[in-house]
Amino acid sequence: MEANEPNRSGIVMRGIGVSPGVAIGPVMLIQAETVSVFERPIADGAVADEIARFEEALIETRHQIREIQGALREQTHSHDASIFDAHLMVLDDRTFIDEIISGVRERKRNIEFVVQEGTEKYAGVLAAVNDDYLRERVADVRDVGKRILQNLMGSAVAKRIQIDRPHLIVAHDLSPSETACLVGEQILGFAIDLGSPTSHTAVMARALSIPAVVGLRNISVSVVTGDHILIDGNKGVLILNPTDEQLQTYDELAEARRNIEVGLQRLRTEPAITCDGHSIVLSANVEGENEIPFVQESGAQGVGLLRSEFMHLSQNRMLDEEEQTRIYRNMADALAPHPLIIRTLDIGGDKCFFNMQPFKEDNPFLGLRSIRLSLRYPDYFRQQLRAILRASVVGNIRVMYPMISGVGELDEADAYLAEAKRELEAEGVAYDRSLQRGIMVEVPSAALVAPILAAQVDFFSIGTNDLIQYTLAVDRGNERVAYLYEPTHPAVLQLIRMTVDAAHAHGIWAGVCGEMAADPLMTPLLLGFGVDELSVNPRAVPLIKDAVRALAYHDTQALAQDALGGLSVKEIRSRSRQLIESVAPELSDWLS
Ligand code: PEP
Ligand code: MG
């Protein structure tokens, strides 16, 4: 493939933007590393040498992991480096080491072969154990095993890759240690075939403030080293060999975006109120404690969605009750008097621990994910509810259950909450007795029975990311059907309206925390349906506040009414665009 064939210029690909910003530069393609090991008999006299080689490889591997961990700590100033503590523990595990040493002695086979077999055997045993923590160690064992093999075989990939010029990294997938080998000032961005916002590349890219787009499906076979790419981590867009025109457009866009964003900082302390006096709450979506300063800078009125699973996913281990309590307290304290809405674990679908689910599902988005997983395996759920309750004496904490599909699940979840309260009472531990609890409305069935659910909870938060995929039968992460993923589909809008109306009829509030809330094109519609709260990523807060303040509530109500009166998807979009552009033309570049 020639890098600069004319037909390979200016090709636009879409993935998932997981770390914001624009990066442009040459590609460094990281090929998937496979280690080929052959079985070879060895003489009795060679056994000691093979064991000595193994011991040297262990020392070398430990040294490399410590080096990576140290570098990562320095560069990120965050806890992401602790992922490698688990790797170091594998290296110190006598069961693993003794198994390999006795394997060489007894079977008289080359050390590479025994290490590979021993790694798989050990991983297999852990995968079968009925203990979630141990099962989560399988990926660590495999990663460490591969690194030991690379050291035994003198492979260069185990070492830190020196990148002497600025590059964008393109790969099919990257393991934690591969990603960490690559961190450095010369990395401009990541573009990855696989992955979701929970992948390690995504976690590390965010920690390093490096733009990243994942879920690009086949970028690693579409580029060659020498190609140039442009990635937009906000929009999840990649342009292969951008044309001069595209580059210039992007340059101008980036500059214009920056200027407008800087200008909107003046709204930080202003309320989110329409020009005719209708107020809403504008809050922020976060994944962890480290984002609280951004929430405060953005002027958001608290956190409308803490995706609590990310605190565990980013460390690839489950935090215990104490750790969770501490984090929730710190966050609530920093945000007070504004609320901290903690969504209970939402694992499964696209958010998986390496081995958290003890089964593989063909259709994980319709499978045992989210609240279903919590109710089936309630240990973590119980622990989290206790942590939330214990922390609730500080600030303004609220709890929210994800993916509730009907009253049965809500009742079951509530039973665990009641049990946790009883336990704490028996232990004499204080908690907020008026703790508010709400649900995410992200399954169409919940919207359809919203009047019944509204009678039982304190608030609704509409998760449009999932609501759209389930209503329209469009996988939210599948590029092939992305053209059908349409927030302005009248069926989606109808469900939003029903949910908000049901909430208001029962005197509770309804917010929107899906990505739709962060798109200023949707602000007129959501306001018009009477949504009380919009929860968006901190960076989008000033943009949405600008949109709200520029609009008149009565215009948005008229638009919302028309939208459900038979307009097509295109007409709804264009009417909403006209309205927002007429009052806030500065937001044009942020409209979807
Ligand atoms: C949603 O589904 O809209 C939502 C906010 O939850 P998540 O994106 O974490 O599934
Ligand atoms: Mg969701």
Side-chain angles (χ1 to χ4, degrees):
M1 191 167 16
E2 279 297 313
N4 286 315
E5 287 168 28
N7 60 352
R8 294 181 63 257
S9 288
I11 300 168
V12 178
M13 301 181 195
R14 281 173 206 283
I16 309 165
V18 293
S19 186
V22 173
I24 304 162
V27 161
M28 173 165 285
L29 185 60
I30 306 294
Q31 302 285 4
E33 172 67 6
T34 49
V35 187
S36 306
V37 171
F38 297 97
E39 182 177 359
R40 186 167 47 80
I42 54 166
D44 283 355
V47 167
D49 284 350
E50 289 296 270
I51 294 173
R53 284 181 58 221
F54 175 54
E55 282 165 351
E56 266 169 40
L58 284 180
I59 293 167
E60 178 67 15
T61 304
R62 191 173 295 114
H63 176 74
Q64 287 165 355
I65 292 176
R66 290 230 170 91
E67 202 184 41
I68 293 167
Q69 197 174 33
L72 193 60
R73 251 189 207 121
E74 242 169 58
Q75 284 165 19
T76 65
H77 303 291
S78 83
H79 299 301
D80 295 314
S82 59
I83 292 167
F84 293 97
D85 287 342
H87 289 213
L88 291 170
M89 273 161 62
V90 174
L91 278 176
D92 288 334
D93 187 332
R94 277 319 312 177
T95 321
F96 176 56
I97 294 169
D98 291 347
E99 172 91 19
I100 288 167
I101 292 178
S102 55
V104 179
R105 286 204 180 111
E106 284 157 23
R107 304 192 43 212
K108 311 261 175 356
R109 291 289 182 275
N110 54 322
I111 185 68
E112 291 84 356
F113 177 74
V114 180
V115 166
Q116 191 177 52
E117 235 190 21
T119 304
E120 275 315 301
K121 190 169 159 202
Y122 190 34
V125 170
L126 290 183
V129 171
N130 189 18
D131 176 317
D132 292 337
Y133 177 77
L134 289 180
R135 269 202 302 270
E136 285 154 26
R137 301 280 70 82
V138 172
D140 299 323
V141 169
R142 291 211 167 103
D143 206 7
V144 169
K146 186 165 147 189
R147 185 171 280 280
I148 297 171
L149 280 176
Q150 286 166 335
N151 281 316
L152 281 166
M153 299 166 83
S155 161
V157 182
K159 320 264 168 16
R160 286 176 67 79
I161 292 178
Q162 289 304 323
I163 297 179
D164 49 3
R165 285 191 302 129
H167 275 95
L168 276 112
I169 299 298
V170 175
H172 180 64
D173 195 13
L174 290 173
S175 74
S177 64
E178 283 164 340
T179 309
C181 276
L182 291 167
V183 300
E185 277 160 26
Q186 306 286 12
I187 307 288
L188 300 172
F190 291 104
I192 313 288
D193 287 347
L194 301 184
S196 68
T198 65
S199 59
H200 277 94
T201 311
V203 171
M204 290 188 188
R206 278 196 292 270
L208 295 159
S209 294
I210 294 175
V213 178
V214 302
L216 283 156
R217 305 176 62 85
N218 51 15
I219 184 66
S220 69
V221 291
S222 309
V223 296
V224 290
T225 297
D227 275 335
H228 274 66
I229 55 173
L230 179 155
I231 62 168
D232 179 348
N234 299 62
K235 299 232 172 211
V237 167
L238 179 147
I239 305 178
L240 177 56
N241 296 320
T243 61
D244 287 347
E245 213 178 328
Q246 283 168 323
L247 283 174
Q248 197 186 340
T249 309
Y250 242 96
D251 262 1
E252 288 164 9
L253 183 74
E255 172 76 13
R257 277 185 192 169
R258 250 190 317 277
N259 290 339
I260 292 170
E261 280 182 310
V262 168
L264 290 180
Q265 279 168 5
R266 72 182 192 286
L267 298 180
R268 197 181 156 270
T269 53
E270 300 293 331
I273 183 168
T274 60
C275 63
D276 55 351
H278 176 77
S279 287
I280 63 152
V281 172
L282 187 50
S283 43
N285 295 348
V286 297
E287 294 170 6
E289 195 180 353
N290 55 348
E291 289 174 72
I292 293 300
F294 303 124
V295 176
Q296 289 164 325
E297 276 162 35
S298 76
Q301 295 158 277
V303 164
L305 169 66
L306 166 62
R307 289 182 160 102
S308 66
E309 60 280 1
F310 279 82
M311 300 183 313
H312 309 276
L313 289 163
S314 64
Q315 298 208 29
N316 201 25
R317 72 181 179 92
M318 295 306 289
L319 305 189
D320 65 24
E321 186 182 318
E322 295 307 318
E323 292 171 297
Q324 290 183 60
T325 308
R326 203 169 45 244
I327 293 171
Y328 300 150
R329 272 174 187 256
N330 290 346
M331 292 178 77
D333 190 32
L335 293 167
H338 297 307
L340 167 65
I341 300 183
I342 304 172
R343 176 177 74 182
T344 61
L345 285 182
D346 184 17
I347 287 177
D350 61 344
K351 284 180 284 207
C352 279
F353 278 93
F354 288 117
N355 290 287
M356 168 116 190
Q357 279 163 296
F359 37 78
K360 227 182 158 40
E361 295 181 306
D362 288 339
N363 220 336
F365 271 116
L366 300 183
L368 197 57
R369 67 170 284 219
S370 196
I371 195 72
R372 302 169 182 183
L373 195 65
S374 291
L375 298 175
R376 177 70 66 86
Y377 300 105
D379 289 356
Y380 294 129
F381 189 49
R382 283 199 178 99
Q383 209 176 56
Q384 183 173 30
L385 292 174
R386 281 177 58 92
I388 292 171
L389 285 166
R390 284 175 56 194
S392 69
V393 289
V394 174
N396 182 359
I397 286 182
R398 299 172 188 175
V399 63
M400 175 158 78
Y401 308 131
M403 222 189 139
I404 292 289
S405 65
V407 175
E409 276 166 346
L410 173 59
D411 287 345
E412 258 191 89
D414 272 346
Y416 285 109
L417 185 62
E419 180 188 286
K421 287 181 180 175
R422 280 195 303 276
E423 277 174 18
L424 293 177
E425 258 156 49
E427 292 163 25
V429 177
Y431 63 88
D432 173 10
R433 282 165 192 275
S434 55
L435 176 85
Q436 288 195 19
R437 83 207 193 299
I439 59 166
M440 292 200 57
V441 176
E442 49 186 345
V443 181
S445 59
L448 292 168
V449 297
I452 307 172
L453 294 166
Q456 284 186 229
V457 294
D458 300 303
F459 63 89
F460 284 157
S461 187
I462 305 174
T464 47
N465 302 342
D466 278 316
L467 186 65
I468 297 167
Q469 79 161 343
Y470 293 131
T471 304
L472 304 179
V474 176
D475 181 341
R476 66 193 256 190
N478 184 342
E479 178 46 24
R480 292 194 194 104
V481 288
Y483 70 102
L484 291 170
Y485 190 90
E486 183 46 76
T488 58
H489 192 296
V492 174
L493 300 180
Q494 188 69 257
L495 292 174
I496 294 175
R497 155 136 275 169
M498 287 168 62
T499 306
V500 176
D501 287 352
H504 292 173
H506 283 84
I508 65 168
W509 61 265
V512 174
C513 62
E515 285 309 305
M516 191 175 172
D519 178 357
L521 183 65
M522 304 297 156
T523 314
L525 288 161
L526 296 178
L527 277 181
F529 289 133
V531 166
D532 305 288
E533 180 235 27
L534 296 173
S535 192
V536 304
N537 66 73
R539 201 165 162 177
V541 168
L543 303 168
I544 299 302
K545 193 184 277 185
D546 186 43
V548 172
R549 290 173 61 84
L551 287 161
Y553 186 44
H554 64 85
D555 287 343
T556 67
Q557 284 178 306
L559 172 74
Q561 195 169 0
D562 290 351
L564 292 182
L567 296 185
S568 68
V569 167
K570 273 200 178 137
E571 284 163 340
I572 297 172
R573 271 191 173 269
S574 101
R575 290 274 305 274
S576 197
R577 179 179 293 274
Q578 263 170 25
L579 180 52
I580 191 70
E581 283 189 334
S582 69
V583 295
E586 68 279 10
L587 295 178
S588 300
D589 285 333
W590 283 271
L591 307 182
S592 62

